[in-house]
Amino acid sequence: MREESWISKIAFFFNKVLALLTIFAYLLPFLSPKLFPFLSVLTLSLPFFLFLNFIFFVVWVLQLKRKFLLSAFVLLIGITFINKFYKFSKVEVVEESTDFTLMSFNVRLFNLYEWLPNKEVPEEITELIQGYNPDILCLQEYSPNEEVRLRNFTHKYIKVEGGKNKYGQAIFSKFEIINRGEINFPNSSNNVIFADIVKNIDTIRVYSMHLQSIKISTDIHEKLNESKSKFIFKRISSAFKEQQLQSELIQQHYKDCKYPKIVCGDMNNSAFSYVYRNIKVDMNDAFEQAGNGFGASYNFKFYPARIDYIFVENIILVKEFKTDDSVQLSDHFPVFTRLNMQPKAKSN
């Protein structure tokens, strides 16, 4: 029997360490960021762990070694996490007259402070939205702008604050809004707004969320050093603790909702987090239902960050989901979904 090389032994040692770290990372969504702020940041590393496990799996398979079973086991028990990170198939869309569409977009104040050199951002965002022509539109980091003309919507709820330059959120709808409101977060300019929307005989509550930002620039990798890394780590930990409280307030608000829910917007956290699990509860993630690829919604180089979501009740069928990264008009990309209300099951 041929003796195993020292390179193979070392590689498998690291494979075992990685397997343990990955399994531990699977448990992180169940650990409170308030109690474990340091560990909560590690949720951001889970996609990297999954990728490395896949590499080990391929290497051992190509070498015809049974060692592949370790990574295969880790990937198998984490299949739900893989689906949150990457979708391998695209659903064919069959449009029906009973469908309705929703778009959510963090518009970054329509480039009010000229983060982007493009002077036509407000007009181009208007054109993008008109092109998709959603029935319901939720905008985070909204700011009133004369160049933004959304003519297709007969109903709207806009909640802004501030002095000269106002900011906040907005929900636009082609269907009647019969009720509206807000969930305020303590010591934060972030919030959630909601609208009860009547479509035919159905009433749906749409929540638009904007949770605490971790305030990291998209080009942070270009100016990172040890001291800044520690500062950023502490900032992320602090933001995740704030998001935990915010997610708990959202979950509490669900209890008074008597309508099917759609929750969308900028969560500023990954799909592997405690906060994601808290807000999603038993709803479906539209990306998992009908998305394709990574679904990255934040323009962060070298990492496909999905931090904008659309969650729907089980009674709502997700027929299509898309993240439009074809043009950069904000630091986020818009997410779009096609939905259909399913008939309620009859009781015996």
Side-chain angles (χ1 to χ4, degrees):
M1 182 176 180
R2 185 179 177 183
E3 186 177 350
E4 187 176 17
S5 70
W6 63 271
I7 295 178
S8 180
K9 290 179 180 179
I10 292 175
F12 192 55
F13 169 78
F14 283 111
N15 192 174
K16 288 187 284 187
V17 172
L18 174 65
L20 288 173
L21 286 173
T22 305
I23 291 172
F24 176 68
Y26 289 160
L27 302 176
L28 292 177
F30 302 91
L31 301 179
S32 164
K34 286 184 180 179
L35 298 177
F36 307 96
F38 174 82
L39 295 177
S40 65
V41 180
L42 295 181
T43 59
L44 302 175
S45 302
L46 184 53
F48 183 61
F49 291 165
L50 292 172
F51 176 74
L52 291 179
N53 273 285
F54 179 72
I55 294 298
F56 272 118
F57 172 78
V58 171
V59 168
W60 299 133
V61 166
L62 291 177
Q63 294 184 19
L64 302 178
K65 293 184 177 181
R66 294 178 61 188
K67 292 182 175 68
F68 80 88
L69 292 172
L70 176 60
S71 289
F73 172 74
V74 171
L75 292 172
L76 182 62
I77 64 174
I79 190 68
T80 59
F81 291 94
I82 295 173
N83 285 335
K84 294 180 190 304
F85 182 60
Y86 189 90
K87 287 294 294 181
F88 294 94
S89 61
K90 190 171 183 179
V91 178
E92 281 193 33
V93 181
V94 178
E95 296 185 13
E96 299 177 87
S97 60
T98 52
D99 293 349
F100 65 102
T101 56
L102 181 146
M103 174 183 280
S104 178
F105 191 9
N106 182 324
V107 293
R108 205 187 192 190
L109 307 179
F110 298 109
N111 203 35
L112 179 64
Y113 296 107
E114 299 184 353
W115 295 284
L116 297 172
N118 182 359
K119 302 290 186 181
E120 308 298 323
V121 165
E123 293 89 343
E124 291 185 18
I125 287 179
T126 301
E127 185 177 337
L128 177 73
I129 293 171
Q130 300 293 87
Y132 276 95
N133 192 25
D135 296 309
I136 303 170
L137 172 69
C138 297
L139 300 178
Q140 301 85 44
E141 292 194 36
Y142 173 88
S143 181
N145 189 304
E146 293 181 356
E147 303 303 320
V148 178
R149 300 182 176 88
L150 302 174
R151 301 186 181 91
N152 294 357
F153 304 98
T154 52
H155 306 274
K156 61 185 177 182
Y157 172 40
I158 298 174
K159 180 68 177 179
V160 294
E161 58 183 34
K164 181 181 178 182
N165 294 327
K166 298 183 182 299
Y167 63 93
Q169 294 201 64
I171 297 176
F172 296 86
S173 175
K174 294 179 181 179
F175 312 122
E176 183 183 3
I177 296 176
I178 59 171
N179 183 40
R180 63 200 70 192
E182 175 184 13
I183 306 174
N184 288 307
F185 298 148
N187 306 313
S188 175
S189 59
N190 297 75
N191 69 344
V192 173
I193 64 172
F194 66 89
D196 294 338
I197 297 173
V198 178
K199 180 187 182 296
N200 298 330
I201 62 172
D202 298 308
T203 302
I204 306 163
R205 173 163 293 180
V206 175
Y207 288 92
S208 177
M209 62 179 172
H210 186 205
L211 269 58
Q212 193 71 28
S213 173
I214 58 178
K215 298 179 180 177
I216 294 180
S217 169
T218 56
D219 62 351
I220 188 64
H221 63 282
E222 296 176 0
K223 45 189 177 184
L224 206 57
N225 55 41
E226 185 177 353
S227 62
K228 286 184 179 179
S229 297
K230 291 179 180 178
F231 173 74
I232 290 169
F233 203 85
K234 289 181 180 179
R235 175 181 281 178
I236 294 174
S237 298
S238 177
F240 284 3
K241 286 192 288 184
E242 290 293 319
Q243 289 176 3
Q244 177 183 339
L245 171 61
Q246 294 168 358
S247 69
E248 289 166 352
L249 290 173
I250 294 172
Q251 194 180 88
Q252 182 68 28
H253 200 273
Y254 291 164
K255 295 178 181 179
D256 296 323
C257 178
K258 58 184 179 181
Y259 305 122
K261 301 183 299 292
I262 298 174
V263 182
C264 67
D266 177 8
M267 198 172 72
N268 274 311
N269 210 323
S270 78
F272 314 110
S273 66
Y274 178 94
V275 173
Y276 171 93
R277 180 172 167 268
N278 241 14
I279 293 176
K280 178 178 174 289
V281 196
D282 57 354
M283 291 182 284
N284 291 322
D285 184 332
F287 168 77
E288 289 187 62
Q289 297 294 304
N292 187 46
F294 290 105
S297 66
Y298 186 69
N299 186 31
F300 195 85
K301 291 184 179 179
F302 309 121
Y303 182 83
R306 185 168 75 95
I307 62 175
D308 298 84
Y309 303 90
I310 300 175
F311 304 135
V312 302
E313 298 270 22
N314 291 327
I315 197 173
I316 302 174
L317 174 67
V318 181
K319 302 180 68 172
E320 179 184 9
F321 180 90
K322 180 179 181 181
T323 303
D324 191 341
D325 59 357
S326 62
V327 61
Q328 184 181 348
L329 299 173
S330 168
D331 52 346
H332 291 250
F333 301 119
V335 291
F336 172 89
T337 188
R338 176 174 295 277
L339 307 168
N340 193 294
M341 287 290 293
Q342 300 298 288
K344 296 180 181 179
K346 296 181 180 179
S347 58
N348 293 327

